[in-house]
Amino acid sequence: MTDALRVNTNTDALSQRRILLFWLPLASSWLLMTTEMPFISAAIARLPDAQTMIAAFGITASISITIESPVIMLLATATALATHRQAYKMIRRFTIHLMVLTTALTVLIGFTPLYDVIVRGWMSIPPAIAQAAQPGIQIMTLWSAAIAWRRFKQGVMIRNGQTRLIGVGTIIRLAASTGTAVGLAVLALGQRPELVEGGVEGWGGVTGVTVGGAALMAGVIAEALYAHWAAAPVIAAQFSREDFDHPDLTYRALLKFHLPLAAVSLLTLLGQPMVSAALARAANPERSLAAWPVVNGLLSIFRSASYALPEAVIALQSRPGSVAALRRFCYNVGWVTTAGLAVMAATPLAGLYFHSVIGISSELTALALPGIWLGLTLPAVGSVQSYLRGSLMSRHSTNPLYQAMLINLLTMGIVLAVGVRQGWPGVPLASGALGVAQLAEGALLMWSVNHVKRFD
């Protein structure tokens, strides 16, 4: 963002149109990203042993994304704190440290007996699914490192108003991931059956999980490389000289800001293996574990618009009078996306999506449909939460975020435990638990915002 644009942004009235133009590239990026998993699931569904492989890919993705949790909020951290050269360099150093730590953790889980302890032991995943999932985690060894670098660079771009470039990066990511998925799926369909069987343990062939893992890995590496290139002019323009008007950002202050956000991400993503563990203990565990990833993928598509809201709130709430405009915009996003999900659930569109687009069986489609109805509140509640999170982060008050997420996780655990004990169907239980947990989290966030001093 040029100095002229920054001055203009800080003095003009914050209209709904201005918020829309800032937010839309970020929302488009999230929407495109959330279509990645369903597309890969659709490719896997057309390969041999589809039910097992879709379930295994869900385990691979949930574990990899959980490992990634400390780096996810680098986007918000860079957006909020990359105000001058010294702060940028400190955040870059911190990002590299996180890249090393998360890669080491992935290696430990993917290549050592710790995998059996977590997946076969703690999560109680059925043996065939657990065996099929491990190669995917091994392929995704550099997943968290690529995500960390990409989100750090994207945060710098958001801070300086270059949100359009982020959407371009997502298109590049999708092209790489979908191209890899299609290419490997064609290769898998043409290989000899005995290689598919050997591929689970010995990498002798291409399985559905290796297709999914390789596709995700190709996508994030491509996007990280683009983000590095696209951010270079912004960095050169904004951070080429020391700025002595800003106090230095210390490593301790950076940790104080980021660690509660990392805790939020970790607690959020722990919900995924928690749900998988509950489904593994529910009735028809193999079918529930296969149906849930496609349900969660569809819910994520409608929730994706809210994922881009916190950074918009952080970047635009620095000026007096912006609170009401941002709150109104976030709430409207929630109602519109919830209405869209309701239309899909109430019409044949959901069944058409599951059966014809994703390609799962009619049996799995029947299991998936109730999960959409029970997840109907997720987009609206998520948009409210995103506004509240962004509001707190813009005030550098991050502790309430992980406290609220802890309430979310505890609530989810209680609902899942009760549901498993009562024998409730797995997929509706998972959607319902997410919805109840989000309401509990939102209540605490609302209380926290009302007790933190406003800028205006």
Side-chain angles (χ1 to χ4, degrees), residues 67 104-115 134-135 137-138 141:
I67 296 171
L105 181 57
T106 306
V107 170
L108 283 174
I109 294 177
F111 292 90
T112 74
L114 185 59
Y115 178 84
Q134 188 169 9
I137 295 174
Q138 294 170 345
T141 296

Side-chain angles (χ1 to χ4, degrees), residues 20-382:
L20 177 66
L21 292 176
F22 187 94
W23 164 84
L24 194 57
L26 301 178
S28 300
S29 176
W30 273 109
L31 177 61
L32 289 171
M33 281 193 293
T34 55
T35 63
E36 184 179 49
M37 286 289 191
F39 183 91
I40 294 173
S41 295
I44 297 173
R46 288 159 174 82
L47 297 177
D49 201 12
Q51 181 170 299
T52 297
M53 290 300 162
I54 291 175
F57 179 61
I59 300 301
T60 294
S62 67
I63 292 174
S64 297
I65 294 172
T66 301
I67 296 171
E68 173 202 354
S69 60
V71 312
I72 290 176
M73 287 297 189
L74 280 171
L75 186 69
T77 296
T79 301
L81 301 182
T83 56
H84 58 290
R85 177 180 172 84
Q86 185 276 335
Y88 164 79
K89 293 170 68 176
M90 182 62 71
I91 299 169
R92 182 181 63 189
R93 174 187 169 195
F94 180 62
T95 299
I96 293 171
H97 292 169
L98 288 179
M99 291 167 68
V100 173
L101 289 172
T102 52
T103 300
L105 181 57
T106 306
V107 170
L108 283 174
I109 294 177
F111 292 90
T112 74
L114 185 59
Y115 178 84
D116 289 335
V117 173
I118 294 173
V119 177
R120 291 185 171 92
W122 297 351
M123 296 176 68
S124 298
I125 299 302
I129 297 174
Q131 183 182 15
Q134 188 169 9
I137 295 174
Q138 294 170 345
I139 290 171
M140 294 174 67
T141 296
L142 296 178
W143 165 271
S144 295
I147 294 289
W149 194 252
R150 183 255 293 179
R151 293 183 79 80
F152 161 54
K153 295 291 185 175
Q154 287 178 334
V156 171
M157 288 189 280
I158 293 172
R159 176 77 193 185
N160 291 279
Q162 302 300 317
T163 56
R164 180 185 60 84
L165 297 175
I166 294 173
V168 175
T170 305
I171 294 172
I172 292 173
R173 169 179 174 170
L174 281 179
S177 62
T178 56
T180 301
V182 170
L184 289 179
V186 171
L187 179 63
L189 289 171
Q191 68 190 352
R192 296 193 306 273
E194 62 268 23
L195 290 182
V196 177
E197 295 175 3
V200 174
E201 293 184 355
W203 299 74
V206 179
T207 68
V209 172
T210 57
V211 168
L216 289 179
M217 199 67 248
V220 297
I221 289 177
E223 189 178 19
L225 292 173
Y226 170 80
H228 180 84
W229 174 82
V234 177
I235 293 167
Q238 299 298 325
F239 306 125
S240 59
R241 294 187 298 271
E242 296 293 344
D243 185 350
F244 298 104
D245 293 334
H246 291 86
D248 284 353
L249 175 65
T250 65
Y251 203 91
R252 182 175 181 177
L254 178 54
L255 283 173
K256 184 178 180 181
F257 183 91
H258 184 80
L259 285 182
L261 301 183
V264 170
S265 297
L266 176 61
L267 292 172
T268 300
L269 296 174
L270 280 176
Q272 296 191 41
M274 182 184 292
V275 168
S276 296
L279 294 176
R281 292 166 171 81
N284 297 318
E286 291 84 1
R287 294 175 184 172
S288 294
L289 285 166
W292 173 244
V294 295
V295 173
N296 195 36
L298 180 59
L299 293 174
S300 294
I301 289 174
F302 284 90
R303 297 170 66 188
S304 63
S306 70
Y307 298 158
L309 292 171
E311 284 69 40
V313 173
I314 293 170
L316 299 175
Q317 203 179 48
S318 60
R319 162 172 85 260
S322 61
V323 172
L326 287 165
R327 181 172 58 236
R328 176 186 169 196
F329 183 85
C330 292
Y331 289 6
N332 286 339
V333 168
W335 304 135
V336 170
T337 50
T338 295
L341 182 59
V343 169
M344 193 150 191
T347 66
L349 288 174
L352 182 66
Y353 171 81
F354 288 134
H355 188 55
S356 300
V357 177
I358 300 300
I360 63 174
S361 66
S362 299
E363 189 176 44
L364 289 182
T365 297
L367 286 176
L369 288 173
I372 303 303
W373 282 107
L374 285 169
L376 206 57
T377 63
L378 292 174
V381 177

